[in-house]
Amino acid sequence: MHVRPAACVALSLALFASASALAAQPLAFVSTCLQAEDDIDTIATTLIDQGWEQVGKTSETAVSDLSWVLSSYYFNSDSGGESVTSILELQTKTAAAMLKKKDIPQSKSRIFVRDTDDAPETLRVTWQQPIETLTEYGCQAALSASSTTTLRGDASDDLPAFFAMPLQNIGNGYAAFTLLNAAKLAPLTPPNAIVITQAERRGES
């Protein structure tokens, strides 16, 4: 595990001193992703109202962004010595398959994109009901700088390439934020931040 500079730890704590960051309009989808619904299309409708556009089975933007999301799992834990480039290449295939994945009654997903002032963004929503009394739902998002100003604050190039902020427990789930340092990932062009949410609802269907 990498030892984070004290400045990085202080930054992460300051950014979550209040819930205002999550209430900002560009991050409104986080609350939507943590809201239990009986069907994924209810979640999709809310996200569309928030400015997201659902994509079909092909989207270069979505594949590129989701490959970064998937790669972040490795670099927030143990990359096994692999380079960012090699892991991205592997995850690009997985991301492309996500767009073509078909729904089944117990497992559904939707993928969205939206434009911002500086770069497009991608959001993947998953909804699963392995048994009638358990519903699991989550989101994976790759965000641009214009949507993450509140999160990043005065973060500088001193941050590591992947900086995982403290996990935020919210209701029956959590939200995990990772800031990406473009300077340290050059010449690659990563998203500015990655957001992953996961939650569940137990009880009668």
Side-chain angles (χ1 to χ4, degrees), residues 6-63:
C8 291
V9 177
L11 165 68
S12 63
L13 293 175
L15 290 178
F16 280 104
S18 71
S20 60
L22 300 185
Q25 182 59 32
L27 296 176
F29 73 89
V30 176
S31 296
T32 301
C33 289
L34 290 167
Q35 178 65 43
E37 299 291 355
D38 293 330
D39 189 271
I40 193 170
D41 290 325
T42 302
I43 302 172
T45 298
T46 302
L47 291 171
I48 290 170
D49 289 342
Q50 293 172 355
W52 293 93
E53 179 181 352
Q54 188 171 333
V55 300
K57 295 183 178 181
T58 58
S59 169
E60 291 184 7
T61 294
V63 169

Side-chain angles (χ1 to χ4, degrees), residues 20-199:
S20 60
L22 300 185
Q25 182 59 32
L27 296 176
F29 73 89
V30 176
S31 296
T32 301
C33 289
L34 290 167
Q35 178 65 43
E37 299 291 355
D38 293 330
D39 189 271
I40 193 170
D41 290 325
T42 302
I43 302 172
T45 298
T46 302
L47 291 171
I48 290 170
D49 289 342
Q50 293 172 355
W52 293 93
E53 179 181 352
Q54 188 171 333
V55 300
K57 295 183 178 181
T58 58
S59 169
E60 291 184 7
T61 294
V63 169
S64 177
D65 281 347
L66 289 174
S67 67
W68 279 101
V69 172
L70 296 171
S71 296
S72 71
Y73 288 99
Y74 289 85
F75 292 99
N76 281 337
S77 55
D78 183 4
S79 67
E82 296 289 335
S83 68
V84 175
T85 301
S86 63
I87 289 180
L88 273 175
E89 289 176 353
L90 291 172
Q91 297 309 319
T92 295
K93 298 177 182 178
T94 303
M98 285 178 169
L99 272 73
K100 298 178 174 62
K101 186 177 180 180
K102 295 182 178 180
D103 285 349
I104 60 174
Q106 298 81 16
S107 181
K108 303 177 182 181
S109 63
R110 300 287 184 271
I111 296 175
F112 303 85
V113 296
R114 71 179 177 189
D115 291 325
T116 67
D117 292 338
D118 54 328
E121 301 177 326
T122 298
L123 172 64
R124 176 175 181 253
V125 182
T126 60
W127 182 96
Q128 296 177 311
Q129 197 171 66
I131 57 176
E132 289 187 358
T133 56
L134 173 62
T135 304
E136 300 171 329
Y137 43 96
C139 288
Q140 301 165 310
L143 304 179
S144 67
S146 61
S147 292
T148 54
T149 302
T150 306
L151 287 176
R152 187 169 286 272
D154 295 326
S156 68
D157 290 345
D158 292 335
L159 290 177
F162 293 82
F163 175 53
M165 301 172 70
L167 197 70
Q168 299 300 299
N169 293 310
I170 304 172
N172 293 324
Y174 67 82
F177 296 81
T178 299
L179 302 181
L180 281 70
N181 188 333
K184 292 187 177 179
L185 289 166
L188 301 172
T189 53
N192 195 261
I194 289 168
V195 182
I196 296 171
T197 72
Q198 189 64 42

